[in-house]
Structures are given as C-alpha cells and as structure tokens.
Amino acid sequence: MTAGAFADSKRHYPILDGLRGVAAVLVVAFHLFEAHATSRFEQLINHGYLAVDFFFVLSGFVIGYAYDDRWDRMSAGDFFRRRLVRLHPMIVVAMVVGALMFYFQASPVFPKIADTPPWQLLLVMVVGMTLLPLPPSMDLRGWGEMHALNGPAWSLFFEYVANILYALVVRRFSNGLLAVLVFLSGCALVHHTVFGPNGDVIGGWSLDPVQLQLGFTRLMYPFFAGLLLSRVVRPGRIRHAFPLCAAVLAAALAVPRFGGPDTLWMNGLYEAVAIVVLFPLVVWLGASGDAGSGPMARVCGFLGAISYPLYIVHYPFVYTYTAWVANNKITLVQGAPVAVATLLGSILLAWALLVWYDIPVRRWLGRRLLAREGQPLGQTAAG
C-alpha cells in the first residue's frame, strides 16, 4: 500500500463538525435540566435526547463519505483500527473520570452507590474501558445502565455495532438494497414512536431485551439513512448554513413535548418526523454550506473538536449534580449557577483532555497501528 493511498484529499465539512458540537452542548444542558424534571412531560430542552439520533445520522453520513470509496485498498481490519484509534482513547479516560467521581454521587437517587465495594467499582471500570455492556446484575448505581460509571457510553457501544455492520456487510449493499434497509428500519422507528408505550425514543442504555431492541431501533434508521444520504445526495450551495442549521437543530431539541399521557402518539409523531426527515435535511444543509476561514470557521472547528470529549466525559458531573440536587432539594433557580458552572467546567475539561490526552494518544497509536498502512494520522472527515 503506497504512502499516499489514504490521503485526505476530499472536501471537509466544518459545518457538520460545528453542528456536532452544538448538539453535544445541548445534551449537557438537557441532562442538567433533567435533574430537576419530575417526568418526561416536564423538562426543559425536552427533546435533548434526540441529539443521539442526530449523531447517528451524522455518523452514517461521514462514515460513508470518508470510507465508501476506499474498500479497494482498505481491509475491514484497517477500518476497525482507524475507528478504535479515533474513538477508544476517550472511552478509557471517561471510565476513569466516572470511577474517580463515583463515591461523590451517593444519594437516594443512586441507591446502590453506598454499598458498592472498591473492588467492584474497579472491575466495572476496567470492563467499561472495553465498552462491553454490563448486565443489570453488575449495575452499581441502580439505574440499570450498561455502563454505570458513564451512562452515555451506551450510544458509543451502538456506534461500534453500526461500524461493524457497515464494514462487514452493509458497505457491499447496492443503493437499492440499502434503501430497502433504511425503509424497513424507518418503519420500525415510526411504529415504536407513534404506537409504542411511551411516545418517544428515550432508552437503549440497558442490557435487557426491551432496551436492546430500542437501542437497535434508534441506531438502524438514522445511521444507515446517513450512509444512504452520503451516496445518493450531492451537497448544494447554501448561504449562512451554520447559523441556520444550528438554529433548526437547537429548536428541534428544545421544543416542549407534544401531547400528554393520553395522546402519546402526538409526541411520537413529532420525533418520527424529526429523525426521519429533519435530521437528514439538517445534515444535507450543513454539508451544503461553507464556513469560510473567518470567525465562523473557528467556532465550528472548536465546537467540532470538543464535541466528542464533551459528550463522553460530561455525565459523571451530571450524576454529581443530580445527587446534589436530590440530597439538598435544590430548585432549578437555586441550582442554575452550579449548573452553568458544570456546563462550562465540562467544556473546559473536554478541551483539556482533547489537547493533552486525546490528540497525543491518538498520534501515538496512529504511528503504531496506522502509519504502516499509509494512512494519515490526523482527524478524518469521519471524525
């Protein structure tokens, strides 16, 4: 394989990086507000959890764009090494952060923490570093999460599943066959949101049959719709694409819940439209814009750079904030300064980990695992 075989000569999409960062910030805000919510019907940034579904659309698009035309000179092993180098260093440190903060989160909200011995905490941390899902019997917190030290890692588990399915099977699909897969997956998604028991897609983070089915339902349509989008739709030329897309995305995630306990289908219909139609449209609009080389490009670059570290390390701080709120009966107004500090502190930590840990570790791993393939060592279009 020649040294230039994997040269990143393709156009980069900085606006998509920026949108990934916008979604990550909104996820942190959603989780902080969630500490004060009494139910899924009363929550600020009510649909913040849909950011995960947006991430899946975006991931499918950039994976297809970056890798679909490389399989004549790249093996599945090459692909998996690239994805591990890109994603896994932050998973390891996220579990360490979760373990370090675990005992500071003791609260009636997390009833198992006080009785968790250190050896069990260390075991769960080590297993979590592999991203292998843990069964409910190994839950340390009482929430039934497959990654009790860092809940959002469940979506990275499904991201890995999507990458495996793509590399081993779906990359060989014709556009027609891929469209059939996307259509059937979309039908399953719409059926769950409109006719399901809750009228939403909340869930997917537990290793039990119901939650696993929901996790795959949330994964299959958006990821492979993004892949199909990268194959069949060419970006246009849209002016002011970043502020437009950021506003649409923020509105879609912040909109109040539709309907009530007796009209769950209304909210389910909204979420189906958002995931099936709106998110692919936002990705296309973002790919059709140009951030230029001025302040907007720098904003997109910063947001894109911190997006993954922010998403994967913020939740231990949310656990701690949630415990503080519950233990002291803190209202939203009372907790606002601490919530803002938690958000800003999470962003600062994400930036610090990116600069002093993630980038150096990925470069070190890249020199050992990727350089022999002639692959570039920096960040790819696929993130």
Side-chain angles (χ1 to χ4, degrees):
M1 203 169 284
T2 64
F6 283 81
D8 283 332
S9 59
K10 294 182 178 181
R11 173 191 174 189
H12 189 64
Y13 292 126
I15 291 177
L16 296 184
D17 293 340
L19 293 176
R20 190 169 62 240
V22 169
V25 171
L26 288 170
V27 164
V28 181
F30 164 75
H31 284 146
L32 290 168
F33 284 129
E34 196 174 26
H36 301 277
T38 57
S39 73
R40 66 183 71 205
F41 299 96
E42 299 175 1
Q43 158 74 310
L44 294 177
I45 312 185
N46 193 282
H47 291 87
Y49 50 85
L50 292 181
V52 170
D53 307 272
F54 175 74
F55 289 146
F56 285 150
V57 177
L58 186 57
S59 181
F61 179 85
V62 295
I63 287 290
Y65 175 75
Y67 295 109
D68 248 7
D69 60 355
R70 291 180 171 180
W71 289 101
D72 60 339
R73 55 195 189 279
M74 176 178 68
S75 68
D78 298 334
F79 174 79
F80 293 143
R81 280 191 291 272
R82 285 183 67 85
R83 301 312 293 155
L84 284 170
V85 168
R86 177 65 187 101
L87 297 175
H88 218 81
M90 283 306 307
I91 292 170
V92 171
V93 78
M95 295 302 165
V96 173
V97 172
L100 290 174
M101 300 188 66
F102 181 74
Y103 288 115
F104 296 100
Q105 300 156 2
S107 166
V109 181
F110 308 124
K112 293 187 176 183
I113 288 180
D115 298 324
T116 298
W119 70 264
Q120 190 175 13
L121 173 65
L122 292 174
L123 175 62
V124 170
M125 181 188 73
V126 172
V127 176
M129 289 177 177
T130 69
L131 209 58
L132 292 173
L134 290 166
S137 61
M138 296 187 68
D139 178 27
L140 306 182
R141 189 175 301 278
W143 278 13
E145 297 163 294
M146 65 173 68
H147 296 291
L149 298 182
N150 206 317
W154 74 269
S155 63
L156 271 297
F157 167 74
F158 280 103
E159 173 81 13
Y160 273 24
V161 170
N163 279 239
I164 292 170
L165 290 175
Y166 166 72
L168 298 184
V169 181
V170 180
R171 68 176 176 85
R172 298 183 173 89
F173 283 13
S174 66
N175 290 349
L177 185 56
L178 179 59
V180 171
L181 174 64
V182 169
F183 174 77
L184 294 176
S185 300
C187 290
L189 176 67
V190 173
H191 181 270
H192 175 81
T193 58
V194 177
F195 302 104
N198 297 314
D200 55 46
V201 293
I202 297 175
W205 50 73
S206 295
L207 193 64
D208 66 63
V210 173
Q211 288 288 306
L212 281 175
Q213 180 181 0
L214 177 53
F216 277 103
T217 300
R218 294 187 72 174
L219 170 71
M220 293 298 290
Y221 173 81
F223 185 89
F224 292 112
L227 175 62
L228 182 63
L229 185 70
S230 74
R231 289 185 176 186
V232 302
V233 176
R234 293 293 171 262
R237 292 183 177 273
I238 308 295
R239 299 186 62 184
H240 311 299
F242 178 67
L244 171 63
C245 292
V248 170
L249 182 60
L253 300 185
V255 66
R257 188 177 174 100
F258 292 89
D262 297 325
T263 53
L264 295 173
W265 65 269
M266 294 177 62
N267 192 74
L269 182 61
Y270 166 73
E271 294 193 8
V273 172
I275 299 171
V276 172
V277 179
L278 183 61
F279 290 167
L281 177 61
V282 169
V283 169
W284 176 79
L285 289 172
S288 299
D290 184 4
S293 57
M296 187 175 298
R298 290 191 289 273
V299 169
C300 289
F302 174 76
L303 287 172
I306 67 164
S307 59
Y308 176 47
L310 177 62
Y311 177 75
I312 200 61
V313 301
H314 81 277
Y315 212 61
F317 299 93
V318 171
Y319 287 135
T320 306
Y321 178 80
T322 301
W324 174 70
V325 167
N327 291 342
N328 298 280
K329 297 180 172 56
I330 302 295
T331 66
L332 177 58
V333 173
Q334 292 170 332
V338 179
V340 171
T342 302
L343 172 61
L344 296 178
S346 297
I347 292 173
L348 180 61
L349 177 63
W351 178 82
L353 288 173
L354 172 75
V355 173
W356 290 313
Y357 168 77
D358 189 39
I359 292 176
V361 169
R362 283 192 283 124
R363 285 175 176 166
W364 183 84
L365 290 172
R367 285 193 294 269
R368 285 153 180 78
L369 299 178
L370 304 182
R372 63 186 179 81
E373 301 162 7
Q375 301 176 15
L377 305 181
Q379 183 169 333
T380 71

